[in-house]
Amino acid sequence: MSDLGEADSDRYAQLRRQIELEELDSAEVAVNAVVEDLEAETHRYDAELAEPLLLRGDIAFARGAFEDALDDYGRSVHIRRVNDGLHSPEQVAAVYREARTLERMGLLLEADRREEYAYEVLRKHYGSYSKDLLPGLYHLAQWQEKRRKIFGARRLYGQALLILDAADEAGTSENLIKPLKGLAESYRLERFPPVYDREGGAAAGGGGAPSAELYDGPRPLTLNNFPAGQKALERIVRIRQETAEEDPVALAEAILELADWHLLFEKVRLAGQYYQHAERILNAAHTDAAAALFGEPTLLHYPRPIDPKPPGNRLNPARAQGHVTVKFTVTDRGTTTRLVTVESVPKGLMDFRVRKSLRAARYRPPLLEGRLSEAREQTYRHDFWYYPRTNESAPSGSELKTVADGNDQSGESP
């Protein structure tokens, strides 16, 4: 059996590097040798098997062999539980990998459960108010955000603030910035969801909190309390003001996020004042960031329309890529006007949905001589997948047709 001391630690580091570089064949030979050696000399539940099994699962995942990856990750978790205890945090790395694999397999509810289980393990090991819980809490909150479960994420970020308050970090600690940003983002996504559903309405997504009572966040959960998001961003500005001399750019970025919030919620005059303030700070810091941030419109919100449904009467239908290109004007309030479809492939399939999304879009207008200004001749291209009929092929470049419809007077009604 190999001596699994410091030398073996170096071997695992090399194996991780090989996996990162996708040198999978050589990595697989090496890790299989370690697993077989350990199993022959010890037993299937030896604690030292947990790490090489994790790496072998990573190799299987990289190959797309997800069932094999789950087998190895599951064995690694079980070995950690047997040797280190049911609530050992050492198992969490493998549990996260299980969730990632289940997600790739499309088993999203099972992936959710594994993410929640990982957090529950950490909470039971460290306690609900330990700072050691924060990395796992943020991991689950970010997972919830990705799954568009904004209310679950909101409660988790609220729990993080409680933890930091209990640790006497309720003042101006920079550790507060991450949960404050997450809290504000949850309110922003509630009002400005990232996609439209198939009926053309706003879809905030999967909604509720995690399935178990995994945290002691603020109750009752607040809905539509958008001033709470604003207050979180204002608090970040106050924290950044404490270190403004050392890092003026960070202060300007915090003010910029607060300005974007006011613009999204149609407080344009106040937003303009904050933008001017951020620009002055950046110019005083002798950075070129102001020109990049305020020279051209910046997209803040675009509720992406969902791609066309696949036909229900065909198995594994062939896909083709289409696109819609629209020209428009960004107003000094960040809205869009004078929409003109200039290219649509295939014609008429997604024009309405894309134009509807662009009408709901919000931009940060350019700042010219300290004033929010209109920006004409802007172009947005939306790419999507669709399913041509079986008796037709995808349009060629020669079949593109330009659709010019003036100042958005096509008769469409959102």
Side-chain angles (χ1 to χ4, degrees), residues 9 55-56 58 64 79 142 144 218 225 236 246 268 273 279 285 291 328 360 391-392 398:
S9 176
L55 295 174
R56 194 167 74 176
D58 290 345
I79 288 170
Q142 289 163 358
Q144 296 278 355
N225 184 17
I236 292 173
E246 295 81 12
V268 180
Q273 294 173 358
E279 184 183 43
F328 55 93
N391 60 349
E392 68 182 19
S398 61

Side-chain angles (χ1 to χ4, degrees), residues 263 297-300 328 330 333-334 336 358 361-365 380:
L263 186 77
T298 300
L299 183 60
L300 301 178
F328 55 93
V330 174
R333 300 182 65 86
T336 60
L358 276 173
R362 292 294 181 271
Y363 282 80
R364 180 193 306 144
Y380 184 87

